[in-house]
Amino acid sequence: MLILKKGSGLRIHATGSTAELNALNEHLKVKVNNWFFARKNRPAWDGTESFFNPRTQIFSLGLLHHVRCWLKEKNIRYALQGSNPPLPELKQSNLKDITLRDNQLWAINRWLQCGGIGVIVAPPGSGKTEMASAIVKHIGVRTLFVVNSLDLLMQARGRLETRLGHKVGVLGGGEWHTEGRGVLVATIQTLTRALGAKKEAAVRELIDIKLVIYDECHHSRSAQTKKLLRFMPNANFRLGLSARPFHKYDREDLQKMTAEDVRVLDCMGPVVAEIQASDLIAENQLARPRIYLVPFESDDLNGTDRSWAKAKKTHLLENLGIVSTIVGAVKSASAAGELSLVVVGSSRRYGLNVYFKLHDAGVDVIYLHGTVDKMRREWARRQANRGRLEAIVATVIYDEGVDLPELRQLILAYGGLSAIKLEQRLGRSLRHKSRGQNVSIVVDFISFGNRHLRKHSLSRIRQYLEQPEFEVYLIGSKKDFPSSVMRLLGRRLRFVGQLPDRNYFMELKNESDQGSRGVQAMAGEKVNAVPDNRVLPKGFSDSPRKRSSSGVS
C-alpha cells in the first residue's frame, strides 16, 4: 500500500514497496518537447524529465490529482494524509466598488473547494485580477502576486490597490517597497535577481508568504519559478491565472502532456475552473471579435526558404505589401476616431519600419518596446484609453495583460504558431467596449505557399474557429484558395471583398447593429463587407526598401 503524506511547501512524500515507488517514478517521467534535437549533447538521455525524486521520494502536490487518477487506473491501494482541506465558501462580493459576476464567484469557490491550489482558466478581460483580489481578501494571509513584465506589474499594482482599498508592496521596476498590509506585487525577474544579489532581504520577505498568485501562469514552466518556490516553504495556497496555461492539457493522464506543460502543473496545480470566452461574448461581457484573414504570397519556388527564420525574414519582416496594408487599415480606423494596436512580435527593426510608415502617413502613433521606460509605457496606455492616440506599435511587451478597453482594431503583423501567444494577443481586443457596438476588429496575415507559413496559418485559423462566437472572414473568394486548404478549414469561414473602411468603423460607433452586413453572409458566400472602391492586393511581392535604423535590432 502506498502512503502519500503532505509535507511543507506543498510536497508529497511517498512511502511504499520498492515496486510501487518504481512504478510511480516511471509514471512521473514525461517526454520533453522536441527532445530528439537536444539529444546530441546527451547521447544517453531518453528524452524524459522526471517529476519524482526517487532519493527523497517526494513529488509536488500540484501533481497529486493526476497521481491519484493513475493509482485508481492501476488498482494500486493508497492512503492520503494531510492534504489541503476545502476553504470556506465566498458567498458574495467582498471588493470595493465592484460586484463579482456569477461566473467569477463560481470559479473562486471551485478553487476554494479544491483546498486553495490550482489554475483558473479565463480569457483576457474576464476579470482575473478581480478574482485574485477577492481571494486575497477572503483568505487574509500574506500574499505574493507574481507577474512576468513591467507593464503587468504597474497594472496589477493599481488594480489591487483599487479593489482592496489599501496600498500594496512592490518589488520590481526599480522599486523595493515591502510595506503593503500583507500583499506584495513582484516580477519574477526581480525576485530571481534579488535571491542572488540581496538574498537575506529577499528570503526574509518570502519566508512568510502563504499564498502565491501567478498571473499569466503559463510562464511558471520556467526554472526561475521552481527556484523561487523553494524559498516559500509556508506557501500552502497557490493560484494560477491564464487564458491558456497549457499547450495540451489532459485532466487524468500526464503521459498525454509534454514536460513543459507538466512543469506548470508541478508549480501551480491542475485546472480547477474554466470560463469560456464564447460564453462571455454571448453574454455581452466581452467584445465580439470579427477576424479578417488577409492572404499574401509566399511561394518558395527555388527552395530557399527551408527554415522558419528564412521564411519569416523573406515573407514577413521584409514584406512591404504587408506594411502597406497595415497603414491602410490603421488610417481607416483613425479616420473614424478609433484606436489601433499593431503587434510586431520580437523584431524591433520590423516594428520601427511599421512605425515610420504610419508616422509618414500622418497617423498619431507611438512605438513601444522593451527598452522604453515604465513611465512612458504607462503614459502611452493612459493616452490611448483617453482617445489621444490613434495607434500603438508594440513588440512582445504588449502580448499579454495590458488593458486597452478603448482598442477597436488589433493587427497581428507577425503571425506565429504558439496557441498561448495568439490567445494572449487576441485578449487585447476582447475588452468590453464602453461606446458603440461591443465589437472589435482583428486583422491577421495568412499564407499557404511556404510550408512554415502554411502550418502556422492553418493552426491560427483552427484556433479562431474553435470559438463559436468568433466571426472569421477571408479576404478574397473561394476560388483564390487551394481546395485542400478549404477542406481543412471547413465551412464556417466567410468571404468578403476587403478590409473595413472608415464608414464601417463609424457604424461600429453606433449602438444599433448596422455594421454587421458582412456578418449576415452565409458560410462560403462572398459579400462586400465594405462599400468602397479600394482593392486589397492579393499578393505582396514588392522588394523591400531598407530604412536606416541604427541601434535597433
Side-chain angles (χ1 to χ4, degrees), residues 9 11 144 191-192 194-196 198-210 212 223-235 238:
R11 293 180 297 180
L144 176 67
L191 290 172
T192 304
L195 289 172
K198 42 184 175 180
K199 186 171 181 178
E200 290 184 7
V203 170
R204 190 164 55 249
E205 295 301 328
L206 297 178
I207 195 72
D208 294 328
I209 295 295
K210 291 183 170 59
V212 178
Q224 291 176 322
T225 307
K226 190 79 171 178
K227 177 183 177 182
L228 177 66
L229 291 174
R230 292 196 194 106
F231 290 92
M232 293 182 282
N234 298 312
R238 294 181 191 173

Side-chain angles (χ1 to χ4, degrees), residues 401-468:
V402 180
D403 192 10
L404 292 172
E406 297 305 316
L407 179 65
R408 180 67 74 177
Q409 178 173 245
L410 171 67
I411 300 178
L412 304 174
Y414 186 72
L417 180 64
S418 172
I420 291 177
K421 288 185 178 180
L422 178 60
E423 190 92 26
Q424 295 295 335
R425 288 169 181 167
L426 283 175
R428 301 316 106 233
S429 66
L430 290 180
R431 264 65 176 183
H432 187 279
K433 309 307 172 192
S434 59
R435 54 188 174 82
Q437 298 176 39
N438 195 23
V439 169
S440 64
I441 302 298
V442 178
V443 179
D444 192 359
F445 295 90
I446 61 171
S447 180
F448 304 110
N450 177 271
R451 64 186 180 92
H452 299 288
L453 295 174
R454 174 190 173 97
K455 177 183 178 182
H456 295 187
S457 297
L458 289 174
S459 174
R460 295 200 304 278
I461 294 172
R462 288 193 186 100
Q463 191 170 341
Y464 295 141
L465 296 177
E466 283 177 0
Q467 296 289 347

Side-chain angles (χ1 to χ4, degrees), residues 7 24 43 52 176 193 210 233 251 275 474 520 552:
L24 179 60
F52 179 73
W176 188 273
R193 286 194 298 268
K210 291 183 170 59
R251 184 153 181 82
I275 300 174
L474 265 173
Q520 297 170 4
V552 178

Side-chain angles (χ1 to χ4, degrees), residues 169-471:
V170 178
L171 308 179
E175 299 183 57
W176 188 273
H177 303 308
T178 58
E179 67 286 351
R181 292 179 60 179
V183 180
L184 293 175
V185 184
T187 62
I188 186 72
Q189 296 88 347
T190 297
L191 290 172
T192 304
R193 286 194 298 268
L195 289 172
K198 42 184 175 180
K199 186 171 181 178
E200 290 184 7
V203 170
R204 190 164 55 249
E205 295 301 328
L206 297 178
I207 195 72
D208 294 328
I209 295 295
K210 291 183 170 59
L211 167 62
V212 178
I213 301 176
Y214 203 131
D215 195 14
E216 311 302 350
C217 68
H218 47 273
H219 293 295
S220 65
R221 67 189 69 223
S222 68
Q224 291 176 322
T225 307
K226 190 79 171 178
K227 177 183 177 182
L228 177 66
L229 291 174
R230 292 196 194 106
F231 290 92
M232 293 182 282
N234 298 312
N236 287 325
F237 307 118
R238 294 181 191 173
L239 169 63
L241 300 168
S242 181
R244 189 181 281 253
F246 307 99
H247 291 287
K248 186 178 180 181
Y249 180 70
D250 190 280
R251 184 153 181 82
E252 296 185 354
D253 191 354
L254 287 178
Q255 300 304 318
K256 294 180 180 178
M257 302 172 64
T258 64
E260 291 76 10
D261 286 335
V262 177
R263 289 175 203 152
V264 179
L265 280 177
D266 187 54
C267 293
M268 306 311 302
V271 173
V272 296
E274 183 171 0
I275 300 174
Q276 295 287 343
S278 288
D279 295 338
L280 299 183
I281 293 171
E283 296 169 5
N284 205 38
Q285 295 175 11
L286 292 180
R288 182 183 301 275
R290 294 177 184 169
I291 300 167
Y292 291 83
L293 306 175
V294 183
F296 65 94
E297 297 290 347
S298 64
D299 290 337
D300 183 17
L301 300 178
N302 298 321
T304 57
D305 301 340
R306 292 174 181 172
S307 71
W308 159 235
K310 179 68 174 177
K312 176 176 66 175
K313 180 180 178 182
T314 304
H315 301 301
L316 286 173
L317 303 186
E318 296 181 350
N319 194 323
L320 289 181
I322 289 180
V323 177
S324 176
T325 304
I326 291 171
V327 172
V330 171
K331 289 185 69 176
S332 296
S334 63
E338 297 286 16
L339 174 67
S340 297
L341 170 63
V342 184
V343 180
V344 295
S346 58
S347 174
R348 286 172 53 193
R349 187 182 298 275
Y350 179 41
L352 191 65
N353 184 29
V354 174
Y355 166 76
F356 279 139
K357 293 293 185 183
L358 289 171
H359 185 269
D360 293 346
V363 177
D364 186 6
V365 60
I366 190 170
Y367 180 35
L368 300 177
H369 48 82
T371 61
V372 176
D373 65 83
K374 67 176 183 178
M375 298 306 296
R376 180 136 179 101
R377 295 189 202 181
E378 183 63 16
W379 173 85
R381 189 181 69 85
R382 291 180 179 178
Q383 291 293 96
N385 287 332
R386 291 168 182 168
R388 297 174 184 173
L389 277 178
E390 294 178 338
I392 298 174
V393 178
T395 59
V396 291
I397 65 171
Y398 263 44
D399 271 3
E400 57 190 29
V402 180
D403 192 10
L404 292 172
E406 297 305 316
L407 179 65
R408 180 67 74 177
Q409 178 173 245
L410 171 67
I411 300 178
L412 304 174
Y414 186 72
L417 180 64
S418 172
I420 291 177
K421 288 185 178 180
L422 178 60
E423 190 92 26
Q424 295 295 335
R425 288 169 181 167
L426 283 175
R428 301 316 106 233
S429 66
L430 290 180
R431 264 65 176 183
H432 187 279
K433 309 307 172 192
S434 59
R435 54 188 174 82
Q437 298 176 39
N438 195 23
V439 169
S440 64
I441 302 298
V442 178
V443 179
D444 192 359
F445 295 90
I446 61 171
S447 180
F448 304 110
N450 177 271
R451 64 186 180 92
H452 299 288
L453 295 174
R454 174 190 173 97
K455 177 183 178 182
H456 295 187
S457 297
L458 289 174
S459 174
R460 295 200 304 278
I461 294 172
R462 288 193 186 100
Q463 191 170 341
Y464 295 141
L465 296 177
E466 283 177 0
Q467 296 289 347
E469 297 295 330
F470 285 16
E471 300 170 4

